[in-house]
Amino acid sequence: MNRLQLVSKSERHPSTVVQVGGCRIGEGITVIAGPCSVEDEEQILRTAHGVRRCGAAVLRGGAFKPRTSPYSFQGLGLKGLQLLRKAGDETGLPVITEVVDTRDVFLVCEYADILQIGARNMQNYALLQEVGRTDRPVFLKRGMNSTIEEWLNCAEYIMKECNSQVILCERGVRTFETYTRNTLDLSAVSVLKNLTHLPVFADPSHATGRPELILPMCLAAIMAGADGIMVEVHVDPARALCDAEQALSIEEFDILMEKINAAADFRRRLGWETLPVFGQR
Amino acid sequence: MNRLQLVSKSERHPSTVVQVGGCRIGEGITVIAGPCSVEDEEQILRTAHGVRRCGAAVLRGGAFKPRTSPYSFQGLGLKGLQLLRKAGDETGLPVITEVVDTRDVFLVCEYADILQIGARNMQNYALLQEVGRTDRPVFLKRGMNSTIEEWLNCAEYIMKECNSQVILCERGVRTFETYTRNTLDLSAVSVLKNLTHLPVFADPSHATGRPELILPMCLAAIMAGADGIMVEVHVDPARALCDAEQALSIEEFDILMEKINAAADFRRRLGWETLPVFGQR
Amino acid sequence: MNRLQLVSKSERHPSTVVQVGGCRIGEGITVIAGPCSVEDEEQILRTAHGVRRCGAAVLRGGAFKPRTSPYSFQGLGLKGLQLLRKAGDETGLPVITEVVDTRDVFLVCEYADILQIGARNMQNYALLQEVGRTDRPVFLKRGMNSTIEEWLNCAEYIMKECNSQVILCERGVRTFETYTRNTLDLSAVSVLKNLTHLPVFADPSHATGRPELILPMCLAAIMAGADGIMVEVHVDPARALCDAEQALSIEEFDILMEKINAAADFRRRLGWETLPVFGQR
Amino acid sequence: MNRLQLVSKSERHPSTVVQVGGCRIGEGITVIAGPCSVEDEEQILRTAHGVRRCGAAVLRGGAFKPRTSPYSFQGLGLKGLQLLRKAGDETGLPVITEVVDTRDVFLVCEYADILQIGARNMQNYALLQEVGRTDRPVFLKRGMNSTIEEWLNCAEYIMKECNSQVILCERGVRTFETYTRNTLDLSAVSVLKNLTHLPVFADPSHATGRPELILPMCLAAIMAGADGIMVEVHVDPARALCDAEQALSIEEFDILMEKINAAADFRRRLGWETLPVFGQR
């Protein structure tokens, strides 16, 4: 891997902390939770209050939804941004939402604290450059068939435009396996902790597409070195307009947070950051 | 596959012909040739005259190049569009070039006869919608890890905006095989000829990344039912600024065209269009 | 690729012809046809006479069937071998069948003219060594996720035991695409024609799992350089005990042979063997 | 998934414990350690004493090595079995080794306590049936491109022959990613803990091919629900005859065991077995 000048870890630059509101991403475990998409005021407000109560640090919610079919629900757009902002303001949670068009970047910046680049747009270089010119942290999901090297190059595209607040998120790669929606590549999390100073997240909701796998995959991601988790939570999963099958209820999220906190605590006591790196002989 | 209302083949709509200048894409075999990127005036003009002499119907040349690393040559931008247009005008060839940003679509329309959506942007839905609002034909490459169903949905995104001139191009999918750059999926070409009325191309240059495979893969693609071929040709392959390893010289392209024409002629005599469809019992 | 001493093509050893009965595999196009499995005497005899009449050169039929579930039909075993031999003797066709156990190799040699190694056993090195010690030609299918290099090494395993009659068969690789059963990698056929002197076949029945794709994929495989085609044919496809969905009827196979012969004739006139190899500069 | 009668988890049969010597596989975390291949008496004895001292429960060591090239070291065969047995007897550790040929199964049973089926032979059904007829536990590795469903069917093949002592081991699947040797699929571990009563292991050595990833992947596997870990350890990694790049030294393994034990302890306190299963609504 050549010429990854800005994203690479070094002794002088071992780790980056991204500060958003009172939340310091890259220190301990940060949990980002919320619905796949903002659907209406009641849904986002109730979900926001719910996840906040359980301990989420950031609220997610899609306003512009990239969907496989042009006939599927495409998100509420501007209205979705406004409702998400309102939910963030009411709860005091910073909010993150996806941006999918270079022309929307500055609009989304008005409403969101963190800009998300989705898996399908990971190599949309025009979009990467545009978010690189903002002062907002960028949450960069891995493309479904992107190598670690390609992914780091995409982070480099953003940082080259002088935005150094980049967060990486593993969300599953496409394989032949059909039991899970994608295959969560937790070794990529550990690899990235060795290669880059940027915070690394895992998103087991999108990776697995199965609620019963989210808890064990969150625990495993923490042991792999993840700095945070992104998880889909909905106040009423059965009625979610997208990804209904994998969203957790508030009650489930409450249990999840308890276990995540226990795992984070265990990892701290284990001294994960200072574990020896094998094979250096 | 549900709800592919516009792209689906039917008895009433068995095939689409896209007319560009004097060229009718979807009738016989159309060859699109030219360099990976426009590099300077001499390079594009000499290549354009070369491929025209050999029988290419459309000239390709990149002005906005999506590259894995932000430090690689990114194309000449507007200057590249102008040079490509000049080469098209001098030779009488329609020109095709990639557009990578919604904000550039109308600028690119001023210079190009056909708009290309590259593999990395296949699911950039904002861009698909924007090119769907122009009067230019759209050449939609398959994403490296996209299923046929996802690809057809992307064509549906474009057609839903009322642009019915869409051309599909298979350019290889990502697999575990490392000998070839990607794996050219010629069965997808045959599948598409059954499912959609849109013209289908194959691009063996990008799929294989190896010049020695381009000739046999062109012949195979024609037998699989392709309506056309896109191939990289450079007046001086050894000095190409990108994809130098796979570009054909004018002399090689001349031989390629001769064999493509022979195969097209054979396919016509074979009555490919009216071959029986097995398995309908 | 190191140390492929025996399989590699060279000026002194450009191509191998495997002689089986009156059939010379590696000269022109050889078609191997027959049912997935031998089911009963009437089925195999009627299919054998049918495919012979249409011009098949070798009869296939499984006696030992590797099936995903232990509760699926596993083949007739010895009885299947005997019936296949009888069908070969009645029609004068050489017969090929799969061997799956080192202990069965010499038994199968008593009944079969060619030994098939299936995709699941491509890297069963004990089995490769055992068939390498026989005097029977070996038909080596590519593993579903095997690279070209691994595949050639498996041929090398056989040849190292002093059996130089090896035939390679591309039968599709596993990818994310679900529309076809596997993805037929025709570029691998062209690659192998450059790398090895051994004959190379394609099997579109197993690769695609769809009868409507078999005809175009046979034509494409021939243009990619294949020395032969393996195809599933059943006297009554609807009642086949395995792979019923993809088997061709005798009537369909008759049409297929006519088109294969036309393509073989076209390829000969094109001088495929002496086409220039691009990129050697 | 139909007809998985024997491997499926049920209320009446929630989990299987495989007893080998004093070791109860399926209770807590069992660690299997040792070299890729038995090389000579000193190497295997010193490694065996080393891993035993650190807390390994089972000793691994290959005698029959399936290698990509026929010219690579193929293992010591019978001599390797004898040395492994001696090392097991000296240390009191049960031993596991791979069997690759149906004809060797009863020979290997004389020397080994557990029979390993390697990834390349996962669908070698003749071999599965043969080990199913022994009284030895079978350690069944996942094929590099095998789905969970295919894998469970292979366990069913073994159990159908009346051997109910089967252990499953995830060892990485083949993807497009080249940074790691394969991609360790830890979600498969969690899936299997839901679907089957059989013990499930993970092998991060083969999956990642990188020593620096083994420690985090062991911790992650434990959180995903693994019943055990298989890891390559060599008394002198730099001089290992195969897989030298990924073997741990005894000193590294000692640290690894300490962290594995801490994670096992944490998991027990967390009550992993009784964690709620989300999504059952």
Side-chain angles (χ1 to χ4, degrees):
Chain A
M1 294 197 197
N2 296 318
R3 313 245 304 202
L4 289 165
Q5 303 168 7
L6 304 170
V7 303
S8 296
K9 189 175 183 170
S10 66
E11 271 185 48
R12 286 182 47 209
H13 196 170
S15 67
T16 286
V17 171
V18 175
Q19 176 111 22
V20 190
C23 168
R24 290 177 60 79
I25 296 172
E27 281 182 2
I29 305 290
T30 303
V31 177
I32 301 176
C36 180
S37 65
V38 179
E39 298 170 9
D40 57 49
E41 184 161 347
E42 191 197 342
Q43 173 248 15
I44 190 66
L45 287 180
R46 288 182 55 202
T47 306
H49 283 286
V51 300
R52 183 182 180 287
R53 208 165 45 235
C54 303
V58 179
L59 175 67
R60 62 157 286 159
F64 299 102
K65 298 299 306 173
R67 302 299 298 277
T68 300
S69 165
Y71 305 109
S72 299
F73 173 60
Q74 307 273 317
L76 297 182
L78 176 58
K79 180 74 186 160
L81 294 178
Q82 291 167 335
L83 293 175
L84 181 67
R85 181 72 269 157
K86 184 172 181 186
D89 289 344
E90 275 206 11
T91 54
L93 293 175
V95 299
I96 177 173
T97 199
E98 185 169 351
V99 58
V100 298
D101 190 332
T102 49
R103 297 170 302 188
D104 296 336
V105 169
F106 285 91
L107 174 71
V108 176
C109 285
E110 284 182 43
Y111 294 94
D113 300 293
I114 307 176
L115 304 178
Q116 179 176 319
I117 302 292
R120 290 179 180 81
N121 278 309
M122 188 196 86
Q123 289 189 308
N124 181 342
Y125 300 123
L127 187 59
L128 298 181
Q129 288 169 326
E130 198 64 22
V131 298
R133 293 178 194 124
T134 73
D135 62 355
R136 289 287 185 275
V138 178
F139 191 84
L140 179 66
K141 288 200 155 186
R142 182 185 190 176
M144 269 182 280
N145 76 328
S146 298
T147 64
I148 292 169
E149 184 175 359
E150 290 167 342
W151 189 12
L152 285 174
N153 268 291
C154 290
E156 188 87 10
Y157 262 98
I158 298 168
M159 293 187 72
K160 186 159 174 284
E161 301 300 317
C162 295
N163 186 340
S164 59
Q165 303 174 88
V166 180
I167 303 156
L168 300 167
C169 181
E170 160 65 27
R171 46 79 68 223
V173 293
R174 194 166 255 193
T175 68
F176 56 84
E177 179 60 75
T178 53
Y179 191 87
T180 46
R181 189 155 83 165
N182 292 118
T183 298
L184 185 65
D185 180 8
L186 289 177
S187 56
V189 173
S190 299
V191 167
L192 288 173
K193 292 305 293 175
N194 288 334
L195 295 183
T196 179
H197 54 80
L198 298 171
V200 181
F201 275 55
D203 173 352
S205 301
H206 283 90
T208 66
R210 288 182 165 266
E212 75 270 23
L213 300 177
I214 291 174
L215 173 44
M217 287 301 102
C218 282
L219 300 178
I222 290 168
M223 291 305 141
D227 297 293
I229 299 290
M230 171 173 266
V231 63
E232 289 195 354
V233 179
H234 193 286
V235 73
D236 186 357
R239 294 171 61 190
L241 290 184
C242 65
D243 288 349
E245 67 285 4
Q246 81 210 16
L248 299 188
S249 66
I250 305 288
E251 294 69 32
E252 290 169 333
F253 180 64
D254 196 26
I255 298 168
L256 181 71
M257 280 304 299
E258 179 196 328
K259 306 305 176 189
I260 285 176
N261 287 333
D265 184 57
F266 168 66
R267 191 175 81 175
R268 200 177 317 113
R269 283 183 288 114
L270 199 65
W272 202 96
E273 307 280 323
T274 56
L275 289 179
V277 176
F278 292 162
Q280 299 188 322
R281 39 196 178 235
Chain B
M1 293 196 196
N2 295 319
R3 313 246 303 203
L4 289 166
Q5 303 168 8
L6 304 170
V7 303
S8 296
K9 190 175 183 171
S10 67
E11 272 186 47
R12 286 181 49 206
H13 197 171
S15 67
T16 287
V17 171
V18 174
Q19 176 110 21
V20 189
C23 168
R24 290 177 61 78
I25 295 171
E27 282 182 1
I29 305 290
T30 303
V31 176
I32 301 175
C36 180
S37 66
V38 179
E39 297 170 9
D40 58 49
E41 183 162 347
E42 192 197 341
Q43 174 248 14
I44 189 64
L45 288 179
R46 286 181 57 202
T47 305
H49 283 285
V51 300
R52 184 183 180 284
R53 207 165 45 234
C54 303
V58 179
L59 176 67
R60 64 158 284 161
F64 300 102
K65 298 300 306 172
R67 302 301 296 279
T68 300
S69 165
Y71 305 110
S72 299
F73 172 59
Q74 307 271 318
L76 297 182
L78 175 59
K79 181 72 185 163
L81 293 178
Q82 292 167 334
L83 293 175
L84 181 67
R85 181 71 267 159
K86 184 171 181 187
D89 289 343
E90 275 205 14
T91 54
L93 293 174
V95 300
I96 177 172
T97 199
E98 184 168 352
V99 58
V100 298
D101 189 332
T102 49
R103 296 170 301 186
D104 296 335
V105 169
F106 285 90
L107 174 71
V108 176
C109 285
E110 283 182 44
Y111 294 95
D113 301 292
I114 307 176
L115 305 178
Q116 178 176 316
I117 302 292
R120 289 179 182 80
N121 278 308
M122 190 198 84
Q123 290 189 307
N124 180 341
Y125 300 122
L127 187 58
L128 298 181
Q129 289 170 325
E130 197 66 19
V131 298
R133 293 176 194 127
T134 72
D135 62 354
R136 289 288 188 275
V138 179
F139 191 85
L140 179 65
K141 289 199 153 186
R142 182 185 191 175
M144 269 181 281
N145 76 328
S146 298
T147 64
I148 292 169
E149 184 175 357
E150 290 166 342
W151 190 10
L152 285 174
N153 268 293
C154 289
E156 188 87 9
Y157 262 100
I158 298 168
M159 292 186 74
K160 186 159 173 285
E161 302 299 318
C162 296
N163 186 341
S164 59
Q165 304 174 86
V166 180
I167 303 157
L168 301 166
C169 181
E170 159 66 27
R171 47 76 69 222
V173 293
R174 194 165 256 194
T175 68
F176 56 83
E177 178 61 74
T178 53
Y179 191 87
T180 46
R181 190 156 78 164
N182 292 117
T183 298
L184 184 65
D185 180 7
L186 289 178
S187 57
V189 172
S190 298
V191 168
L192 288 173
K193 293 305 293 176
N194 288 333
L195 295 183
T196 179
H197 54 80
L198 298 172
V200 181
F201 275 55
D203 173 353
S205 300
H206 283 90
T208 67
R210 289 183 165 264
E212 74 271 22
L213 299 177
I214 292 174
L215 174 44
M217 287 302 100
C218 283
L219 300 178
I222 291 169
M223 291 305 140
D227 297 294
I229 299 290
M230 172 173 266
V231 61
E232 289 195 355
V233 180
H234 193 286
V235 72
D236 187 356
R239 295 170 61 190
L241 290 184
C242 64
D243 288 348
E245 66 287 4
Q246 81 210 17
L248 299 188
S249 66
I250 305 288
E251 295 67 34
E252 290 169 332
F253 180 63
D254 197 25
I255 297 168
L256 181 70
M257 281 304 298
E258 180 195 328
K259 305 307 177 190
I260 285 177
N261 288 333
D265 184 58
F266 168 66
R267 191 175 78 175
R268 200 178 317 113
R269 285 183 288 113
L270 199 66
W272 203 95
E273 307 280 322
T274 57
L275 289 179
V277 175
F278 293 162
Q280 299 188 323
R281 36 192 179 236
Chain C
M1 292 197 198
N2 296 318
R3 311 247 304 204
L4 289 166
Q5 303 168 7
L6 304 171
V7 303
S8 295
K9 190 174 183 171
S10 66
E11 271 185 47
R12 285 181 50 206
H13 196 172
S15 68
T16 286
V17 171
V18 174
Q19 176 110 22
V20 189
C23 169
R24 290 177 60 79
I25 296 171
E27 282 182 2
I29 305 291
T30 302
V31 176
I32 300 176
C36 180
S37 66
V38 179
E39 298 170 9
D40 57 49
E41 183 162 347
E42 191 197 340
Q43 173 248 15
I44 189 65
L45 288 179
R46 286 181 58 201
T47 305
H49 283 286
V51 299
R52 183 183 180 285
R53 209 166 44 234
C54 303
V58 178
L59 176 66
R60 63 158 285 160
F64 300 102
K65 298 299 307 172
R67 302 299 297 278
T68 300
S69 166
Y71 304 109
S72 299
F73 172 60
Q74 308 271 316
L76 297 182
L78 176 58
K79 182 71 186 164
L81 293 178
Q82 292 167 335
L83 293 175
L84 181 68
R85 181 73 266 159
K86 185 172 180 185
D89 289 344
E90 273 205 13
T91 54
L93 293 176
V95 299
I96 177 173
T97 200
E98 185 168 351
V99 57
V100 298
D101 190 333
T102 49
R103 297 170 301 187
D104 296 336
V105 169
F106 285 91
L107 174 71
V108 176
C109 284
E110 283 182 43
Y111 293 94
D113 301 293
I114 307 176
L115 305 177
Q116 179 176 316
I117 303 292
R120 289 180 181 81
N121 278 308
M122 189 197 87
Q123 289 189 308
N124 181 341
Y125 299 123
L127 187 59
L128 298 181
Q129 288 170 325
E130 198 66 20
V131 298
R133 294 176 193 127
T134 72
D135 63 355
R136 289 288 187 275
V138 179
F139 191 85
L140 179 66
K141 288 200 156 186
R142 182 184 190 176
M144 269 181 281
N145 76 328
S146 299
T147 65
I148 292 169
E149 184 174 358
E150 290 166 343
W151 190 12
L152 286 173
N153 268 291
C154 290
E156 189 88 10
Y157 261 99
I158 298 168
M159 293 187 73
K160 186 160 174 283
E161 302 300 317
C162 295
N163 186 340
S164 60
Q165 303 174 87
V166 179
I167 303 156
L168 301 167
C169 181
E170 160 64 29
R171 47 77 69 221
V173 294
R174 194 165 257 194
T175 67
F176 55 83
E177 178 60 72
T178 52
Y179 191 88
T180 47
R181 189 155 81 165
N182 293 116
T183 298
L184 184 65
D185 180 7
L186 289 178
S187 57
V189 172
S190 298
V191 168
L192 288 173
K193 293 305 294 177
N194 288 334
L195 295 182
T196 179
H197 54 80
L198 299 171
V200 182
F201 275 55
D203 173 352
S205 300
H206 283 89
T208 66
R210 288 183 165 264
E212 74 272 22
L213 299 178
I214 292 175
L215 175 43
M217 286 301 101
C218 282
L219 301 179
I222 291 170
M223 291 304 140
D227 297 294
I229 298 291
M230 171 173 267
V231 62
E232 289 195 353
V233 179
H234 193 287
V235 72
D236 186 357
R239 296 170 61 189
L241 290 183
C242 65
D243 287 348
E245 66 288 2
Q246 81 210 17
L248 298 188
S249 66
I250 305 290
E251 295 67 33
E252 290 169 332
F253 181 62
D254 197 26
I255 297 168
L256 181 71
M257 281 304 297
E258 180 196 326
K259 304 306 177 190
I260 285 177
N261 287 333
D265 184 57
F266 168 66
R267 191 175 80 176
R268 200 179 315 112
R269 283 184 288 114
L270 199 66
W272 202 95
E273 308 279 324
T274 56
L275 288 180
V277 176
F278 293 161
Q280 300 188 322
R281 40 198 176 229
Chain D
M1 293 198 196
N2 296 318
R3 313 243 305 200
L4 290 165
Q5 304 169 7
L6 304 170
V7 304
S8 295
K9 189 174 183 171
S10 66
E11 271 186 47
R12 286 182 47 208
H13 196 171
S15 67
T16 287
V17 170
V18 175
Q19 175 111 23
V20 190
C23 169
R24 290 178 60 79
I25 296 172
E27 282 182 2
I29 305 291
T30 303
V31 176
I32 302 176
C36 180
S37 65
V38 179
E39 298 170 9
D40 58 50
E41 183 161 347
E42 191 196 342
Q43 173 247 17
I44 189 66
L45 288 179
R46 288 181 55 202
T47 305
H49 283 286
V51 299
R52 183 182 181 286
R53 206 164 47 234
C54 302
V58 180
L59 175 67
R60 64 157 285 161
F64 299 102
K65 297 299 306 173
R67 302 300 298 277
T68 300
S69 165
Y71 306 109
S72 298
F73 173 60
Q74 306 273 318
L76 296 181
L78 175 58
K79 181 72 185 163
L81 294 177
Q82 292 166 336
L83 294 175
L84 181 67
R85 181 73 267 157
K86 184 171 181 186
D89 290 344
E90 276 206 11
T91 53
L93 293 176
V95 299
I96 177 174
T97 198
E98 183 169 351
V99 58
V100 297
D101 191 333
T102 49
R103 296 170 302 188
D104 295 336
V105 169
F106 285 90
L107 174 70
V108 176
C109 285
E110 284 182 43
Y111 294 94
D113 300 293
I114 307 176
L115 305 177
Q116 179 176 316
I117 303 291
R120 289 178 181 80
N121 278 310
M122 189 198 85
Q123 289 189 308
N124 181 344
Y125 300 122
L127 187 59
L128 298 181
Q129 288 169 325
E130 198 65 21
V131 298
R133 293 177 194 125
T134 72
D135 62 355
R136 289 288 187 276
V138 179
F139 191 84
L140 178 65
K141 288 199 155 187
R142 182 185 191 176
M144 268 180 282
N145 76 328
S146 298
T147 64
I148 292 169
E149 184 175 359
E150 290 166 344
W151 189 10
L152 286 174
N153 268 292
C154 290
E156 188 87 10
Y157 261 99
I158 297 167
M159 293 187 73
K160 187 160 172 283
E161 302 300 317
C162 295
N163 186 339
S164 60
Q165 303 174 86
V166 180
I167 303 155
L168 300 167
C169 181
E170 160 65 27
R171 46 78 69 220
V173 293
R174 194 166 257 193
T175 68
F176 56 82
E177 178 60 74
T178 54
Y179 191 87
T180 47
R181 190 156 80 165
N182 292 118
T183 298
L184 185 65
D185 179 8
L186 289 178
S187 56
V189 172
S190 298
V191 167
L192 288 172
K193 292 305 293 175
N194 288 334
L195 295 183
T196 180
H197 54 80
L198 299 171
V200 181
F201 275 55
D203 172 353
S205 300
H206 283 90
T208 66
R210 288 183 166 266
E212 75 271 22
L213 299 178
I214 291 174
L215 173 45
M217 287 301 101
C218 283
L219 301 178
I222 290 168
M223 291 305 140
D227 298 293
I229 298 291
M230 170 173 266
V231 62
E232 289 195 355
V233 179
H234 193 286
V235 71
D236 186 357
R239 294 171 62 190
L241 289 184
C242 64
D243 287 348
E245 67 286 4
Q246 80 209 18
L248 298 188
S249 67
I250 305 289
E251 294 68 32
E252 290 169 331
F253 180 64
D254 197 26
I255 298 168
L256 181 70
M257 281 304 299
E258 180 195 327
K259 305 306 177 190
I260 285 176
N261 288 333
D265 185 57
F266 168 66
R267 191 175 80 174
R268 199 178 318 112
R269 283 182 289 114
L270 198 66
W272 203 96
E273 308 279 324
T274 56
L275 288 179
V277 176
F278 293 162
Q280 298 187 324
R281 38 191 178 238

